[in-house]
């Protein structure tokens, strides 16, 4: 009986060992996602109104893509904290997500002392790290009636390169929700062209009137003395980028940039 009992324990011990190995392997494969700190909207607002950089993963329950992002962000959390000097958190079922990404969860946003930029790529650790580290500072330029023609040379042939301009207004709710999206466009295209925004209701009202962009949001691509209007309602980084790189050729009709009004016209 003693011999039988001793031998019968061996398979049980082997099963336990296999279970422990499986659990350890599963924990490593999951990327230690449980380590990603969760915050509610009140805590998140406190973080975003502070002086620190913050990386926020907006997630929701019962979402496989959200889980994929959570695992990747958890895996690279130490690098994000170190290279970006940022707090890294996740907000699940947050009411704030639509302010920064109209397409909603999963959404990964880097707040650089309050200025957000939306990551629009795949859930890939290297791509996320490269994009955020390449955009530690905002890429979108602010234009006004005072500096528009000087910087863009829009009506004289655009010697300063191509410009993609977002006309917004303080009363436009959609405009407010495109801030992080437009920074994403700027961060992606900054080595190819100039990405800018302009307040069509205040500091840029004369230019907006001249270009026919008083209704916001409005988007105009300026190239070699011509302007191309972005007319679709697809407000995603991918759609804007595709239009600026080549879509303007088929999705918009070129118009001559109106000349500056003369003293008589004023």
């Amino acid at each position: 009986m003693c011999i039988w009992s001793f031998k019968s324990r061996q398979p049980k011990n082997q099963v336990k060992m296999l279970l422990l190995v499986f659990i350890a392997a599963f924990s490593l494969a999951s990327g230690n996602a449980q380590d990603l700190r969760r915050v509610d909207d009140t805590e998140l607002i406190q973080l975003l109104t502070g002086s620190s950089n913050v990386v926020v993963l907006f997630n929701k329950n019962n979402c496989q893509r959200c889980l994929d992002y959570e695992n990747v962000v958890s895996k690279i959390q130490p690098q994000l904290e170190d290279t970006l000097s940022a707090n890294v958190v996740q907000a699940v079922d947050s009411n704030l997500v639509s302010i920064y990404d109209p397409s909603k969860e999963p959404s990964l946003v880097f707040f650089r002392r309050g200025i957000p930029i939306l990551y629009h790529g795949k859930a890939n650790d290297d791509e996320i790290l490269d994009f955020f580290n390449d955009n530690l500072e905002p890429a979108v330029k602010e234009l006004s009636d005072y500096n528009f023609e000087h910087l863009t040379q829009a009506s004289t042939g655009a010697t300063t390169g191509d410009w993609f301009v977002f006309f917004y207004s303080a009363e436009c709710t959609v405009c407010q929700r495109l801030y992080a999206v437009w920074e994403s466009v700027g961060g992606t295209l900054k080595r190819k062209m100039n990405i800018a925004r302009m307040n069509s209701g205040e500091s840029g009202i004369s230019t907006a009137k001249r270009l026919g962009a008083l209704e916001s949001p409005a988007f105009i691509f300026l190239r070699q003395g011509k302007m191309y209007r972005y007319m679709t309602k697809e407000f995603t980084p991918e759609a804007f980028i595709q239009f600026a790189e080549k879509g303007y050729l088929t999705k918009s009709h070129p118009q001559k940039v109106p000349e500056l009004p003369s003293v008589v016209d004023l």
Side-chain angles (χ1 to χ4, degrees), residues 143-202:
L143 296 176
S144 66
D145 290 335
Y146 176 76
N147 64 14
F148 178 83
E149 193 63 34
H150 173 71
L151 291 178
T152 67
Q153 297 291 302
S155 62
T156 61
T159 58
T160 58
D162 300 340
W163 287 77
F164 199 6
V165 185
F166 165 28
F167 292 85
Y168 68 95
S169 65
E171 299 78 19
C172 172
T173 302
V174 175
C175 299
Q176 296 169 12
R177 294 177 176 177
L178 292 177
Y179 197 173
V181 170
W182 201 243
E183 278 289 338
S184 183
V185 176
T188 303
L189 297 177
K190 62 185 178 182
R191 293 180 178 85
K192 298 180 179 180
M193 63 188 69
N194 302 284
I195 306 299
R197 62 184 209 142
M198 196 169 194
N199 190 329
S200 59
E202 297 178 14

Side-chain angles (χ1 to χ4, degrees), residues 56-93:
V56 183
L57 174 62
F58 291 97
N59 263 347
K60 63 181 178 180
N61 294 312
N62 303 316
C63 166
Q64 183 56 49
R65 286 190 67 240
C66 298
L67 182 59
D68 293 341
Y69 266 88
E70 182 178 347
N71 288 335
V72 171
V73 175
S74 297
K75 176 184 174 183
I76 60 174
Q77 181 177 352
Q79 293 99 306
L80 291 171
E81 292 174 340
D82 181 46
T83 61
L84 307 180
S85 299
N87 296 307
V88 183
V89 298
Q90 68 170 320
V92 180
D93 294 324

Side-chain angles (χ1 to χ4, degrees), residues 31-174:
N32 295 320
Q34 68 274 11
D35 292 338
L36 199 58
R37 175 188 166 196
R38 289 195 178 197
V39 295
D40 59 27
D41 284 354
T42 300
E43 294 174 292
L44 183 55
I45 290 172
Q46 291 176 344
L47 282 172
L48 299 183
T49 53
S51 58
S52 300
N53 292 338
V54 185
V55 174
V56 183
L57 174 62
F58 291 97
N59 263 347
K60 63 181 178 180
N61 294 312
N62 303 316
C63 166
Q64 183 56 49
R65 286 190 67 240
C66 298
L67 182 59
D68 293 341
Y69 266 88
E70 182 178 347
N71 288 335
V72 171
V73 175
S74 297
K75 176 184 174 183
I76 60 174
Q77 181 177 352
Q79 293 99 306
L80 291 171
E81 292 174 340
D82 181 46
T83 61
L84 307 180
S85 299
N87 296 307
V88 183
V89 298
Q90 68 170 320
V92 180
D93 294 324
S94 171
N95 293 319
L96 302 178
V97 62
S98 62
I99 299 176
Y100 307 107
D101 184 2
S103 64
K104 299 192 175 182
E105 305 94 343
S107 178
L108 186 61
V109 185
F110 176 29
F111 294 85
R112 302 151 298 176
R113 296 175 298 282
I115 300 176
I117 182 169
L118 173 68
Y119 173 74
H120 61 90
K122 298 178 180 179
N124 178 282
D125 50 359
D126 289 334
E127 291 183 15
I128 293 171
L129 286 168
D130 288 345
F131 184 73
F132 285 161
N133 276 287
D134 191 43
N135 288 286
L136 292 172
E137 299 296 332
V140 175
K141 301 174 176 65
E142 189 74 27
L143 296 176
S144 66
D145 290 335
Y146 176 76
N147 64 14
F148 178 83
E149 193 63 34
H150 173 71
L151 291 178
T152 67
Q153 297 291 302
S155 62
T156 61
T159 58
T160 58
D162 300 340
W163 287 77
F164 199 6
V165 185
F166 165 28
F167 292 85
Y168 68 95
S169 65
E171 299 78 19
C172 172
T173 302
V174 175

